[in-house]
Amino acid sequence: MANERSEELPAGGMITDVGNSKNYKTGEWRSQRPEVDKDKCTNCLFCWIYCPDNSIIVEDEKMVGFKYSHCKGCGICAHQCPAKAITMKEEGL
Amino acid sequence: MANERSEELPAGGMITDVGNSKNYKTGEWRSQRPEVDKDKCTNCLFCWIYCPDNSIIVEDEKMVGFKYSHCKGCGICAHQCPAKAITMKEEGL
Amino acid sequence: MATDKPVVVATATGCFEVATTIYPFSSWEVPWIHTAFENAPATISGVESAYKVLRRKGLLDQEIKFVAFGGDGATYDIGLQSLSGAIERGHDFLYVCLNNEAYMNTGIQRSGATERGASTTTCPAGTCIPGKREFPKDLTKIIIAHDPPYAAQASPHNWKDLVTKSGKGFDIQGPAFINVISPCPRGWRHDGSLTIAIAKLAVETCVWPLYEFENGTWRLTGESLRIAEGSREKKPVLEWMRSQGRFRHLLNGEHTALVEEIQQSVDANWERLVKLCRL
Amino acid sequence: MATDKPVVVATATGCFEVATTIYPFSSWEVPWIHTAFENAPATISGVESAYKVLRRKGLLDQEIKFVAFGGDGATYDIGLQSLSGAIERGHDFLYVCLNNEAYMNTGIQRSGATERGASTTTCPAGTCIPGKREFPKDLTKIIIAHDPPYAAQASPHNWKDLVTKSGKGFDIQGPAFINVISPCPRGWRHDGSLTIAIAKLAVETCVWPLYEFENGTWRLTGESLRIAEGSREKKPVLEWMRSQGRFRHLLNGEHTALVEEIQQSVDANWERLVKLCRL
Amino acid sequence: MSTIEIRWHGRGGQGVVTANEILAGAALKEGRYIKAFPEFGPERMGAPIRAFARISDEPINIHSQVYYPDVVLVIDPTLLKVGNVVEGLKEDGTVIANFPEDNVKLGEVVDRKEKVHAVNATRIAMEEIGRPLTNTAMLGALVKVTGVVGIESIIEEMESKMSSKLSEEMMAKNLRAIRRAYEEVQ
Amino acid sequence: MSTIEIRWHGRGGQGVVTANEILAGAALKEGRYIKAFPEFGPERMGAPIRAFARISDEPINIHSQVYYPDVVLVIDPTLLKVGNVVEGLKEDGTVIANFPEDNVKLGEVVDRKEKVHAVNATRIAMEEIGRPLTNTAMLGALVKVTGVVGIESIIEEMESKMSSKLSEEMMAKNLRAIRRAYEEVQ
Amino acid sequence: MGRPLAINGDAAIALAWKQVNPDVVAAYPITPQTIMVEAFSDYVADGQVDTEYICAESEHSAMSICIGASAAGARVATATASAGLALMWEMLYIAASMRTPIVMAIANRTLSGPINIHCDHSDTMGARDSGWVQLYGENVQEAYDNTIMAFRIAENMKVRLPVMTCIDGFIITHALERLETLDDQVVEDFIGLYQATRPLLDIGNPTTYGPIALPDYFYEIKYQQAVAMGSVAAVTKEVMADYAKVSGRRYKLVEGYRTEDADHVVVAMGSTSGTLRHVVDRMRERGSKVGSVKIRLFRPFPSEELAAILKGKKGVAVMDRALSPGTGGALYSDVLQSIHDIPDAPKVTNYIYGLGGRDVMPEQLEGVFEEVMAGNGERINFMGVRI
Amino acid sequence: MGRPLAINGDAAIALAWKQVNPDVVAAYPITPQTIMVEAFSDYVADGQVDTEYICAESEHSAMSICIGASAAGARVATATASAGLALMWEMLYIAASMRTPIVMAIANRTLSGPINIHCDHSDTMGARDSGWVQLYGENVQEAYDNTIMAFRIAENMKVRLPVMTCIDGFIITHALERLETLDDQVVEDFIGLYQATRPLLDIGNPTTYGPIALPDYFYEIKYQQAVAMGSVAAVTKEVMADYAKVSGRRYKLVEGYRTEDADHVVVAMGSTSGTLRHVVDRMRERGSKVGSVKIRLFRPFPSEELAAILKGKKGVAVMDRALSPGTGGALYSDVLQSIHDIPDAPKVTNYIYGLGGRDVMPEQLEGVFEEVMAGNGERINFMGVRI
Ligand SMILES: Cc1ncc(C[n+]2csc(CCOP(=O)(O)OP(=O)(O)O)c2C)c(N)n1
Ligand SMILES: Cc1ncc(C[n+]2csc(CCOP(=O)(O)OP(=O)(O)O)c2C)c(N)n1
Ligand code: SF4
Ligand code: SF4
Ligand code: SF4
Ligand code: SF4
């Protein structure tokens, strides 16, 4: 990272390859990870709405898990889940 | 005018001799002059209130004339006078 | 001045400032400061803060009042934020806006206070655009939304009302605001001797209602109160427009719809105001 | 995003900006611009103006929506004037204030939105001064005093309400404004997982009523409507204060008068608002 | 170099700047180079003001105010008493003033013997225009005395520059004032 | 010059900056000159961060970051996998890491044979403090291994700097963690 | 080519804008710039331009609007002076570093305080590090010509930097002079269609403008500006050559007047350059071997061009119409930088003059020449002040 | 004298303020200045100072409040950085020309864009014409010492000018170093009671502050600032001598390090000066006859003092931590001005470095010395950027 030369960068600090922060794995910063108990989950998608990092994976309008590469472990999903289907676990080594 | 040297002036453009614009005779700029007909005047002092240049002379709560040294001849006093006691005259040479 | 206490004055850049202090002359016999165009409220905040601390330290024993003046450009536009901040911080000062509805000092350019349809040098009435396209900001309401202890609209033609309001503004503890309509012959294109008459017309047409906001309560005053009470006629806005050259282009029959829209807006604002005063 | 049209975004300096674009990374998949802290409304005004003229010239045929985001510092304080000007000029954009009631990006300094009594790093609760001394500006009311076509208060806990309001803001022609309360765990000192719960409490205590102003009419929404209708309880402000560390110093029994004053002010504002919605 | 430098004396609101620009416009019409500008300061109704014009056959480089005019033009007789209107005027320079008496009298007032020209522009203006607006009349006097531009150029420029601002009637009155001053200047 | 340069590796929120400042404060207490600062950037919970300390008997002139540290201190074992913690470490430099296994294993991970010291700071912290806050414990390990300052100075500085921020109980727990790491570092 | 006009500097710039027909103009009035925005407002009101004309509520917003519009893909012009430039100062750097090719006319006026509406160069000198190209015009003709050329320079793909075109407040903005104009079509062809790079409004290719750049990238992005500035001299020469073809008027970055055989030279910018030529002619008539230099392009500073002129002179004076309290003038600094490397460098003295509209008399400039010829004068001198 | 503290640069300045106990502090937060206002807020909340502390709604207002308070008769301090300084830029000139002796701490941070919170000197370099005195501190100790001395300099009757005390953002503001403090009473005695001149609040002697001054007076009033600046060097030396008496620390306007017998010298300001001394020591060990110069007082620029040091050197490099696109650095300019007149002037090259917080490595500075010794290097060079 950070080895491009001045002339290799787009002018004026523009980022032309947008949405690339997906490649920036903020998940590494997490100290607690959310886990879902799909038995309890009602697929209400509250977690999806409230997750500040867009880290709830939804397929076919169903909650199927977490994008751990980005989830920062804030715990909002766990707190908001009306079914108490999400718990926060200490991140292992 | 305008011949003081830099070091003779108070610092920072302060004016310490305030209210000195009285010495600046704006009356010279006038092209029409107000004149009062004291027979009509009721001493209501509307002219005094409205004069934008503070040029109505009042003594003992009576309107006695104009400070021609400052009156700019705007005609507001004439227009406001409820007794139509003031008229504007062409300024002579 | 509507106070017998000593007063310190701050003034924003504008006609009033330029007209009263051209070096080495000054018309001011009280302490006076001008620093820039957009910051009279901040400047007076600083003066008032110095006063507070010097009093607290016992270095000053006189009670002093503080007032800041700004044109509508200085108040509605470029200095709005400075005023808003000073009110939020709760400094003890009176702010007076001399509202001549355009930047007069620089030659009659449009401001946030310029009325819809008025012609100025930056929104001139041309073959394609009939003067200013936007309605003016209602600054007095904006200030009232800050919930200051005192705010009012006034007009020079009703000087008793103006003096009463200024007195309240000085006396009250905390920030006070008075918005004074200030007809300008050159900018509005009317005869200079009609200045006061035109200010009166602004009130009579409800283009510029007289009212005050005191500790949370709205109250109409002067002619406006009488209009609301029905003891005085509310004049049509057209009369207002006819009195000034800046609206002349609207009166040739091509723009009746626009004139009507302006009348409706004046009416709607008036009705809202009357309701607020009845709350 | 509450619109299916393409959107261009401007963002003021602040947490939201710093968190989403650290060179060479960007989280934005739509066109996005940040220029400075105090000028997102002006920046988006420029973008929208370019859009208007390029459309007029036939160089662009897509319909595009414009939105600007700013924190409370960027909106209540340093960027208020920029927003006021953009509204006065009538640009067609939605402005969203993410109000976390302090300058969070720089470390929790007081803003014009900080509540009375709250402790921040520039109005810390000390042995002599118990946190912020002034009441917050009521920015939503200040914006409404500009008479924009649409303005509202919202909260993330009631996301349906928020999405509905955003949709209106996007759809309406002209400037629209939404003020969103945005609890910040670090700044308010509460557990991060309680963010949404605390936002809800703000509404339930009437510290942050949900309402909208649409074409001149005030309307309560969500929980606030139900509280006004009596179908839901209005919680005491003390509950709100207890939920956050920034008010902790007020709860030791020494400051009951202050707490009472704050409750009274919340009540008074709430009653005024209810009246306005009944007008 | 064939540059002529002119200095106007009048009061704020008397149209000195406009008249000076008409002069410059007329000179341009004759293919000349020009530079016309007022002494800068806040414009105040009635306050004494000055304006300057340079007219030349060649491009004009100098941008200073005019300190050593060839011609001094006084459009308000009250100014003859205030300040020194002939300050810096070249030895062989010309004075043209709105003045109700004759050249000799004027010469006494300004303390010059030669090249002193009076014209009762106030009377001309009152009679032709009905108001004491002497700026246009003084243009007539100027071009008669100095020949710096032809009177027809002045009239052409008046018409092209001022027609959007003056009514036809006002225009005609002003043109009459110009012509009369052209005739009457002593 | 008797300057020792130390580089910390941790994550945002783990207290690296605070621990580094306690180290510097302790050194000051011993009459030394100090310079302690984090690698600057926006602080983000969980993001890898570094901090630097210089401790010297003489005034410190150099203000650059530490590129060739004498000691590398890793307070979060997960960082041993991310990036190169021993980058620039002097040939005879020391590595001290929060690591659940022994020095040999640690040496393999960081690819160094000598002067490699493991301490299970996470376990110490969990047991003493109840949370995986390893920053203080690592101070104990550091001073034991390097002797850069005395452990009593660290404890004194902890007490004077942190007493307004930590409850008495928390303070005691942290001091225990420091002492234990001092004992347990291998 | 149109008939010559009698027109002032401000109106000439408004006329150039009308012919350029920019997409967006956002401005705030300030003396002595007002005539520009007023005259342009008339064109707008009469539908003579397509421009979206925005009266901002402050200069800070005016420049922010310009930046937004330029990033969005519009061709943008604006104008200001003095306090107005000061209030947008923060945004000047941002406009330059975002590479928005805005063209801004400046009616040079002194910065407060005391407040004063007249000319000096303190406003634009204070912006000399901001990354804007700065062109100074001597008279009304140059006000017009520089404005038109500025769009070509700013928008050149190698440059992509904002440009200020400066003229002396009142002395030029409010003075009627003779102006030779170009036909509308000639202007249109000369500046060409505006091609934006990755504009914000290109929904299909979304771009992020204005991210935060930390120490790992900031310098590289900033350095691009140095490179862009490095290409300005060559681009400007090209544009000037093209402009000569359509106008017959041939400009240079730095213009020497009777310098070839001169022993003593005075350097200046703006209207004083004209008065200086007048003085040079007068002194040449009396046999003095003097010359003068006009700096037209001030940022980037054309060091080589200037050094080539000053090389081997016996004495040089630099006229600065702005004071940097505590050191010498800005132009003086750049002149010293330009000649520092050359073997045959003259001694250079500095004259601060004309502050707050103090008029410049030919006699005073003669005095400067005389001091230079006598080898007198301090390193820094003050001309025309009552000390 | 108090015990030494382990403290960062911002907190050291807040501590100095606490001891000075100014009447009014008005400020707006901005990284990396925030610790100053936060730490000072704690003193206020705990009643440890008498200060009226005002959280302004913007930096423009913060400076306006300071000016109002100072004119009113208060002793005033404030602090800012980067965009904050930029936003108050208009008011800087007004503060100086109104002769309000405000003391402002600057946590040097680069100007946007791109936005970046780290150190370079673009912010204060951009204010170098504003008429403020500028002092640069190298480390935490100097941050503290300069702050205290600044009040004495600003308020001296011959000076009466506002003073900026600058330190490098993060590098010093956020770094813990050893600080020797003075006792409160020593500080109080050192700065003395504040005596305002014709303060606004003197109701009995009403004064008009800030009138408009036309061309007939403006220049005379402005020239007073040049005169006041002219007395700063002597006053500062006096203050430094007095400060040495109470602190034992003896400062100079310009500080040469091992320059007496050096052939090659590098000049810098701020924290880099320290790193340079470290490098000089290292190179001296290897036998290179090198030295370095630290500029402490940058405005007014101490030309004579610097010339005396640089006279006769074989080669000099000037380190500028700011870019003026299109010309050389500001410090470089002033160095050239300083030596232009002296007979034995060295060749001087310029190095732009450390923009946006790019760290400065000793090896790079050695590289600069090596280039100077070899007589290599362009006139303007860029150090540490990936070209
Ligand atoms: C930052 C800045 N921008 C612009 C100006 C120029 N300016 C001075 S006064 C003025 C207009 C004043 O208008 P207003 O406040 O309405 O007062 P008025 O002159 O009409 O009384 C303007 C635009 C300035 N002085 N400073
Ligand atoms: C002119 C200027 N002053 C100060 C700053 C520093 N600054 C950047 S973001 C910020 C606070 C942002 O607060 P807010 O708008 O409430 O947004 P938040 O970070 O809380 O979301 C400040 C003070 C700046 N960037 N520019
Ligand atoms: S909030 Fe809970 S119940 Fe709803 S979708 Fe998410 S995990 Fe399932
Ligand atoms: S823990 Fe936070 S970031 Fe992770 S999925 Fe839940 S809400 Fe999203
Ligand atoms: S207004 Fe008329 S009646 Fe009243 S005092 Fe004046 S002159 Fe007399
Ligand atoms: S004419 Fe005007 S200035 Fe003169 S006295 Fe009457 S109101 Fe006053």
Side-chain angles (χ1 to χ4, degrees), chain H residues 37-374:
Chain H
V37 291
E38 293 176 352
F40 192 71
S41 297
D42 287 336
Y43 296 131
V44 172
D46 290 341
Q48 295 187 267
V49 287
D50 299 309
T51 309
E52 193 64 29
Y53 174 66
I54 301 167
C55 297
E57 83 290 346
S58 75
E59 287 88 354
H60 195 285
S61 285
M63 183 46 64
S64 301
I65 292 168
C66 290
I67 294 170
S70 183
R75 176 176 266 160
V76 180
T78 183
T80 193
S82 183
L85 192 70
L87 188 56
M88 60 170 70
W89 197 80
E90 177 191 11
M91 300 313 299
L92 294 178
Y93 286 71
I94 294 173
S97 56
M98 279 200 170
R99 311 294 292 279
T100 51
I102 298 160
V103 173
M104 175 157 65
I106 304 287
N108 278 115
R109 162 181 159 184
T110 190
L111 292 171
S112 297
I115 187 170
N116 168 302
I117 55 177
H118 295 277
C119 177
D120 68 35
H121 296 162
S122 51
D123 48 4
T124 48
M125 288 298 113
R128 69 190 178 283
D129 300 345
S130 63
W132 285 60
V133 174
Q134 291 192 350
L135 288 165
Y136 287 77
E138 174 190 316
N139 51 31
V140 171
Q141 185 68 55
E142 296 189 11
Y144 174 85
D145 293 337
N146 283 351
T147 303
I148 295 168
M149 290 189 286
F151 286 90
R152 274 274 299 270
I153 300 167
E155 296 168 4
N156 182 289
M157 280 308 299
K158 289 194 211 119
V159 175
R160 288 265 145 177
L161 287 172
V163 177
M164 287 182 204
T165 61
C166 312
I167 54 173
D168 285 353
F170 284 103
I171 304 168
I172 305 303
T173 60
H174 284 56
L176 218 63
E177 297 183 6
R178 172 175 169 142
L179 174 73
E180 316 279 343
T181 59
L182 300 181
D183 288 338
D184 291 2
Q185 190 59 49
V186 173
V187 174
E188 197 181 318
D189 294 343
F190 182 76
I191 59 166
L193 257 188
Y194 177 55
Q195 296 289 350
T197 320
R198 293 282 298 208
L200 266 184
L201 292 176
D202 181 355
I203 293 290
N205 293 296
T207 304
T208 291
Y209 271 83
I212 185 168
L214 295 177
D216 52 354
Y217 279 104
F218 180 90
Y219 196 177
E220 281 66 36
I221 296 171
K222 197 79 193 169
Y223 181 73
Q224 296 175 333
Q225 269 177 267
V227 172
M229 271 289 183
S231 64
V232 169
V235 168
T236 304
K237 283 182 194 164
E238 240 175 74
V239 171
M240 285 172 172
D242 284 358
Y243 196 74
K245 285 184 212 142
V246 299
S247 71
R249 289 182 294 280
R250 177 167 295 283
Y251 292 118
K252 293 191 200 158
L253 311 185
V254 177
E255 289 165 14
Y257 184 69
R258 305 180 85 163
T259 45
E260 299 76 12
D261 66 336
D263 291 330
H264 300 94
V265 171
V266 176
V267 181
M269 293 200 296
S271 64
T272 306
S273 315
T275 309
L276 256 181
R277 288 203 307 283
H278 172 90
V279 168
V280 165
D281 286 341
R282 238 157 69 168
M283 294 185 71
R284 282 272 180 178
E285 278 169 29
R286 296 199 309 253
S288 307
K289 283 173 74 180
V290 295
S292 69
V293 172
K294 168 160 83 178
I295 306 291
R296 171 183 303 277
L297 179 70
F298 176 67
R299 276 294 171 276
F301 196 76
S303 297
E304 283 172 33
E305 286 79 358
L306 183 67
I309 295 174
L310 297 187
K311 206 175 161 208
K313 299 303 169 202
K314 292 197 185 138
V316 172
V318 175
M319 306 300 300
D320 264 291
R321 197 162 195 154
L323 172 66
S324 183
T327 189
L331 181 54
Y332 180 55
S333 286
D334 284 330
V335 171
L336 290 189
Q337 286 200 20
S338 306
I339 61 166
H340 178 64
D341 269 356
I342 61 175
D344 216 3
K347 190 186 153 192
V348 189
T349 51
N350 191 199
Y351 288 78
I352 310 296
Y353 78 103
L355 304 191
R358 179 64 46 90
D359 196 32
V360 180
M361 300 162 70
E363 292 69 25
Q364 294 173 320
L365 294 173
E366 282 188 26
V368 169
F369 273 115
E370 245 118 56
E371 283 195 338
V372 176
M373 293 188 300

Side-chain angles (χ1 to χ4, degrees), chain G residues 340-351:
Chain G
H340 177 66
D341 269 356
I342 61 175
D344 217 2
K347 190 187 154 192
V348 189
T349 50
N350 191 199
Y351 288 79

